[in-house]
Amino acid sequence: MDRPNYITPAGYSALKAEYDALFSGERPKLVETISWAAGNGDRSENGDYIYGRKRLREIDRRLGWLSKRMKAAKVVDPSRQEDRSRVFFGATVTIADEDDNHRTLTLVGDDEAEAGAGRVGWNSPLARALRGAAVGDLRRVMLPAGEREYEVMTVTYP
């Protein structure tokens, strides 16, 4: 990985919880089901065996991905930000576009981004444009719909 995987403490906890649920909960039950199905004889037409093996591969792939992301994670607590006048990781920012439409966003790790909930990934074009901005700054960003200009209205931290 060429850049750090910044993540909030809550985001890291969510990754860890998913990893633990898969590793300690779903995977052992599935292994038991596969073992039982394998003991029933003909595996070529055994749905429990075939589906179980497929699901086990999916779980193992997800566990590998989660493990890599957690190892590369750099947990940053936004409440400890010293310079609260500028936009950095974890900031909640209200921006206004040219039509005076206001939007409130929180800059979070890429693994915990959810645009519909107002959580924008740290490496997204909008977050990159807002980095280091202070209240009153104008920032241009190239979005799929075209170039837009935003004014930073407020910057807050938890």
Side-chain angles (χ1 to χ4, degrees), residues 81-97:
Q81 179 59 254
E82 292 179 18
D83 183 2
R84 293 175 172 261
S85 64
R86 297 196 169 276
V87 178
F88 296 110
F89 183 83
T92 299
V93 185
T94 302
I95 55 176
D97 62 10

Side-chain angles (χ1 to χ4, degrees), residues 1-88:
M1 224 175 219
D2 56 343
R3 57 183 172 216
N5 176 29
Y6 293 115
I7 193 165
T8 62
Y12 187 83
S13 295
L15 287 180
K16 180 96 172 93
E18 182 182 358
Y19 183 89
D20 291 343
L22 288 173
F23 190 75
S24 302
E26 190 172 348
R27 191 176 192 285
K29 290 176 189 170
L30 195 55
V31 168
E32 187 178 315
T33 303
I34 292 170
S35 174
W36 168 81
N40 287 340
D42 186 12
R43 297 177 187 173
S44 65
E45 294 182 12
N46 188 330
D48 287 331
Y49 180 79
I50 293 168
Y51 170 75
R53 292 289 308 257
K54 180 177 181 256
R55 179 68 183 135
L56 187 61
R57 283 192 300 272
E58 292 169 356
I59 288 173
D60 287 343
R61 192 173 310 120
R62 181 70 178 169
L63 286 171
W65 184 84
L66 288 168
S67 176
K68 283 181 189 175
R69 296 306 288 178
M70 287 190 303
K71 283 179 187 170
K74 180 171 170 61
V75 179
V76 178
D77 188 354
S79 64
R80 296 178 187 231
Q81 179 59 254
E82 292 179 18
D83 183 2
R84 293 175 172 261
S85 64
R86 297 196 169 276
V87 178
F88 296 110

